[in-house]
Amino acid sequence: MKYKHALFLNPYIENTATSVMGLFPPTGLEYVASSARGLADKLTLLDLRYETELCDSARLVDFIRKEIDILCVSVGWDRQFEKICELLNMMPEGIPLVVGGYKATVEVEELFRTCPKIDIIVRGEGEETIKEILNGVPNEKILGISYRSGQEIVHNANRPLPDVDIIGAPDRSLRRNKYYLRMNGIGVADLTFDSVLTARGCPFNCKFCTFNLNPLGQKRDYAARSVESVVSEIEEIRANTILFNDDNFFTDVKRSEKICDMIIARK
């Protein structure tokens, strides 16, 4: 069965006067949504920080009930965790609810216990896992997920981390808004923001680093994209402020210099 309309949802709602947390797109969710291209008739990506109407829970639930037949939610951090759980418990019956993200990976058991409507939790990186979910692969055969089976929670084996070269850049055409500096929902400067991931992982093993091992105990070895692919992605971005969100952009200093030199050369 091919899904008709898949929704990828960033559930965090801006609730501060200054929207520092709203400056940059939900890159992790965008990567996963982009890898789902062609696996559902329609893909929608909603960032509730920028949705003036659908940030209202009742309207969002009504939209999902009428339009969506599979819902994928990213839970990345501790903030607003209780409110997000409340939102997940409001989701309509009969629509598969898939949850992923760093916080979801850390709190698998708690999420299943607190949110009985969750069907699947994707642990770790989700680009390859979401393809199998949307393709209808049986849950017991999908690596890297935990899922409900009757009254039990089943934890499948971890999914090996994929080669970074097979992970495509996020499809920015899925966005419904620009990311900009604002206060109380109003733009205060002519600054727009975006982010680029040039590499995943880190070659070091610092004991104090929370990203040395992911919550599954997996080490993401340093894997860098080609300089050409990074700068070509930057060249397509229209935002005037770009963040490199690598674990460590200067792991390979010579490569970092090549990226900077190519940015300058292409003006």
Side-chain angles (χ1 to χ4, degrees), residues 19-20 22-25 50 172 175 177-182 189-195 237-243:
S19 58
V20 175
L23 292 180
F24 294 98
Y50 281 77
R172 292 172 171 83
R175 294 178 187 170
N177 53 267
K178 293 181 179 180
Y179 289 83
Y180 54 92
L181 183 63
R182 56 189 182 147
D190 187 22
L191 291 175
T192 51
F193 297 82
D194 210 325
S195 58
I237 293 174
R238 302 276 72 88
N240 50 33
T241 305
I242 298 175
L243 169 73

Side-chain angles (χ1 to χ4, degrees), residues 5 14 16 21 24 27-28 43 54 62 67 75 125 134 139-140 142 176 183 187 192 199 217 243 246:
H5 194 171
E14 197 59 57
T16 57
M21 297 305 297
F24 294 98
T27 307
L43 297 178
L54 293 178
D62 187 57
E67 300 286 341
V75 183
E125 298 179 14
L134 292 178
N139 287 343
E140 61 270 19
I142 303 177
R176 293 158 58 97
M183 294 183 66
T192 51
L243 169 73
D246 300 16

Side-chain angles (χ1 to χ4, degrees), residues 140-196:
E140 61 270 19
K141 295 184 178 181
I142 303 177
L143 295 176
I145 69 168
S146 299
Y147 63 96
R148 295 187 192 274
S149 179
Q151 299 300 313
E152 297 184 356
I153 303 299
V154 179
H155 305 286
N156 290 355
N158 294 343
R159 177 178 292 276
L161 297 171
D163 188 322
V164 71
D165 289 329
I166 72 170
I167 302 173
D171 182 357
R172 292 172 171 83
S173 70
L174 291 172
R175 294 178 187 170
R176 293 158 58 97
N177 53 267
K178 293 181 179 180
Y179 289 83
Y180 54 92
L181 183 63
R182 56 189 182 147
M183 294 183 66
N184 297 319
I186 301 173
V188 296
D190 187 22
L191 291 175
T192 51
F193 297 82
D194 210 325
S195 58
V196 169

Side-chain angles (χ1 to χ4, degrees), residues 11-174:
Y12 295 91
I13 297 175
E14 197 59 57
N15 61 357
T16 57
T18 56
S19 58
V20 175
M21 297 305 297
L23 292 180
F24 294 98
T27 307
L29 181 63
E30 289 186 341
Y31 268 98
V32 176
S34 299
S35 71
R37 275 290 194 196
L39 301 180
D41 291 337
K42 183 177 180 180
L43 297 178
T44 296
L45 191 149
L46 286 182
D47 186 346
L48 293 187
R49 296 172 297 174
Y50 281 77
E51 294 291 335
T52 55
E53 293 187 4
L54 293 178
C55 66
D56 176 81
S57 298
R59 291 180 178 176
L60 175 65
V61 172
D62 187 57
F63 167 75
I64 292 171
R65 181 183 294 109
K66 293 177 179 178
E67 300 286 341
I68 304 301
D69 56 358
I70 185 168
L71 172 61
C72 306
V73 181
S74 175
V75 183
W77 306 105
D78 288 322
R79 65 190 181 86
Q80 301 181 22
F81 183 67
E82 291 184 2
K83 288 186 177 180
I84 290 171
C85 289
E86 291 175 5
L87 179 64
L88 295 179
N89 286 332
M90 295 172 63
M91 291 300 109
E93 300 284 351
I95 298 175
L97 176 55
V98 181
V99 177
Y102 189 87
K103 177 67 174 177
T105 300
V106 173
E107 304 290 357
V108 171
E109 297 288 351
E110 181 181 351
L111 269 171
F112 274 124
R113 183 174 61 254
T114 307
C115 306
K117 291 188 177 180
I118 294 177
D119 297 294
I120 297 174
I121 291 179
V122 176
R123 309 189 315 266
E125 298 179 14
E127 288 90 354
E128 295 303 306
T129 304
I130 195 62
K131 293 178 183 179
E132 296 185 4
I133 292 173
L134 292 178
N135 277 322
V137 176
N139 287 343
E140 61 270 19
K141 295 184 178 181
I142 303 177
L143 295 176
I145 69 168
S146 299
Y147 63 96
R148 295 187 192 274
S149 179
Q151 299 300 313
E152 297 184 356
I153 303 299
V154 179
H155 305 286
N156 290 355
N158 294 343
R159 177 178 292 276
L161 297 171
D163 188 322
V164 71
D165 289 329
I166 72 170
I167 302 173
D171 182 357
R172 292 172 171 83
S173 70
L174 291 172

